[in-house]
Amino acid sequence: QRQMCIRDSKKGGPIMIPLGIASIIALALALERFISLRRDRILPNGFLKGLGGAWDSDPSGQSAEQYCEQSTGSAGHVFKAGLQWRDSGHEAVAKAIEDAGIREADKLKRSLRGLSIIAAVSPLLGLLGTVYGMIDAFQRTSQSGGAAKTADLATGIYEALVTTAAGLTIAIPTLLLYQFLQSRVDKIIDHIDEVGTDFIVNHARKNSAPAGSVTA
């Protein structure tokens, strides 16, 4: 069966080369995103506890902001955006965290765009290869003056359809991976929102200045 797949891929023609490259890129992107979008990389373990300790130990909020800057995960960017509004009250902090979470979600989803492009382009490349193959098959039939056997024409069509099958084989799992990773991003951002709510209730709401006060 493996030898058959290799033989079919060779019969697909030059279009099989970009399709093969696309499959390798899709696999590499999917593996990289699987690693990068782990929850403990976006929101490191103990982040909220450390942030709360930094906030409580320094009422000015500067220690908490520095703590966020030292964090390598997306949660650090989200909470830093909220802390910059600490002098405007806990409601302003909550709104800033929510807005930053939306921006961070958009950024993470943009990092998946390569998978989306490959899923969209692969079937088109496969169809293009099939069209070229069909043109070649019928051209050979025409040049033979109609003397070509039905088996020869069927072989040409069979070889032409290989690229369509290859394109769909690449596109379908790539699209599923894209949708799965998008869902993972949404779940992570929702978790950050929940953590943000806990932080506001347990720390920011107790220590922040009343809403409407002037930023120093």
Side-chain angles (χ1 to χ4, degrees), residues 1 77 83 90-91 123 129 149 151 201 215:
Q1 186 176 0
H77 303 300
L83 292 174
H90 69 272
E91 292 182 355
K149 298 179 180 179
V201 171
T215 304

Side-chain angles (χ1 to χ4, degrees), residues 6-204:
I6 295 174
R7 184 171 65 252
D8 288 346
S9 65
K10 291 180 179 180
K11 291 181 178 180
I15 296 296
M16 294 299 292
I17 296 175
L19 284 174
I21 295 173
S23 66
I24 294 172
I25 294 175
L27 179 60
L29 284 174
L31 289 175
E32 189 275 333
R33 288 291 87 193
F34 264 113
I35 296 172
S36 298
L37 293 177
R38 291 207 315 265
R39 179 175 292 186
D40 59 342
R41 291 180 68 93
I42 303 296
L43 181 62
N45 294 328
F47 174 84
L48 182 61
K49 183 178 179 180
L51 179 61
W55 178 275
D56 293 337
S57 65
D58 182 6
S60 69
Q62 293 181 356
S63 296
E65 190 169 340
Q66 291 175 357
Y67 179 85
C68 290
E69 291 175 352
Q70 295 171 358
S71 176
T72 57
S74 298
H77 303 300
V78 173
F79 280 90
K80 181 183 176 182
L83 292 174
Q84 291 173 344
W85 289 86
R86 58 186 176 272
D87 294 329
S88 298
H90 69 272
E91 292 182 355
V93 173
K95 183 65 168 61
I97 289 177
E98 180 182 354
D99 292 342
I102 293 173
R103 291 194 300 270
E104 200 66 26
D106 290 339
K107 188 195 310 184
L108 292 174
K109 288 181 179 180
R110 283 198 300 271
S111 69
L112 301 175
R113 191 171 295 170
L115 291 174
S116 175
I117 292 173
I118 292 174
V121 171
S122 294
L124 297 178
L125 283 174
L127 181 60
L128 179 64
T130 295
V131 171
Y132 282 150
M134 296 285 283
I135 291 173
D136 182 64
F138 284 108
Q139 183 180 23
R140 282 182 292 177
T141 302
S142 175
Q143 290 175 347
S144 67
K149 298 179 180 179
T150 303
D152 295 333
L153 182 60
T155 299
I157 295 174
Y158 151 71
E159 293 178 358
L161 290 174
V162 168
T163 55
T164 295
L168 292 173
T169 302
I170 295 169
I172 293 172
T174 301
L175 182 59
L176 292 175
L177 283 171
Y178 172 72
Q179 295 294 338
F180 172 78
L181 291 173
Q182 272 209 325
S183 175
R184 174 176 285 190
V185 169
D186 290 333
K187 290 180 180 178
I188 291 173
I189 295 301
D190 288 342
H191 181 61
I192 292 178
D193 287 341
E194 294 174 1
V195 170
T197 301
D198 292 339
F199 172 77
I200 292 167
V201 171
N202 297 323
H203 300 281

